[in-house]
Amino acid sequence: MDVSTFYALFSATCFTLVGLWWNVVQSHTDWMREPALRRVVGGIYLSFLLPALMGLFAQVGGAQQPQVWRVAFIVLAVVGCGCTLRLLARARGDRFVTRQQAGAALMYALIAVVGAFPELARPLGLTPIQAEAVMLIVLVVLGHALVWRFMAGEGRPAEEAPAA
């Protein structure tokens, strides 16, 4: 795996997802009026923005200067975990969303731990930056699942959404 190419494509894809999410939000201005919905919208935004930023820092540091990406991953993962835990604490009873947010918080925590202790990736047969890549992929998949649930519920939790 060419890590530099992966992170270049990954980061660009995540920034594209950020832009697409902005377009969706612009067509649903009512989502920004209700504080609970605005928090979820912001959480979705972060689920693509933070991995995009991590991808950029991975490119800057790469394998030659791992301290660059490691510090950035730790800081950004702590921010992501904190924001996700705040969202989780305010979840409105939708078990899918609760599980997704718990999974995202776990991924952020693991990303920070591997950033701080890169030797933990070695037993998996991966370099630390590869292990981080796998976890970032999972994080984006979880973000995508939240977008799907949010869009399918038209911006409301599943129990409030109209039947399809």
Side-chain angles (χ1 to χ4, degrees):
M1 170 169 104
D2 179 14
V3 176
S4 180
T5 301
F6 167 80
Y7 277 109
L9 293 171
F10 179 81
S11 192
T13 300
C14 288
F15 278 119
T16 300
L17 292 171
V18 167
L20 290 171
W21 184 240
W22 281 348
N23 286 330
V24 169
V25 171
Q26 285 179 338
S27 66
H28 295 278
T29 56
D30 54 310
W31 292 352
M32 299 307 283
R33 290 187 199 114
E34 186 182 328
L37 287 177
R38 190 171 47 246
R39 283 190 292 273
V40 175
V41 166
I44 292 170
Y45 168 76
L46 285 179
S47 72
F48 299 129
L49 178 65
L50 295 177
L53 293 172
M54 289 182 202
L56 287 179
F57 281 105
Q59 288 177 272
V60 170
Q64 295 76 25
Q65 292 183 311
Q67 66 278 12
V68 172
W69 68 260
R70 287 179 53 207
V71 169
F73 276 42
I74 292 167
V75 170
L76 292 169
V78 167
V79 168
C81 189
C83 291
T84 303
L85 289 173
R86 285 183 59 211
L87 282 172
L88 186 58
R90 296 177 177 196
R92 296 190 269 175
D94 185 328
R95 287 196 313 226
F96 178 87
V97 172
T98 300
R99 289 181 187 144
Q100 182 281 338
Q101 289 172 335
L106 175 63
M107 281 297 106
Y108 280 124
L110 290 173
I111 288 167
V113 167
V114 171
F117 305 101
E119 64 276 3
L120 293 174
R122 303 262 183 240
L124 301 173
L126 299 171
T127 65
I129 201 163
Q130 289 173 321
E132 298 284 37
V134 171
M135 289 184 284
L136 286 174
I137 291 167
V138 171
L139 191 59
V140 170
V141 168
L142 289 169
H144 183 270
L146 185 57
V147 167
W148 175 256
R149 183 62 166 218
F150 196 76
M151 295 300 296
E154 297 178 13
R156 294 182 297 268
E159 64 272 6
E160 295 177 17

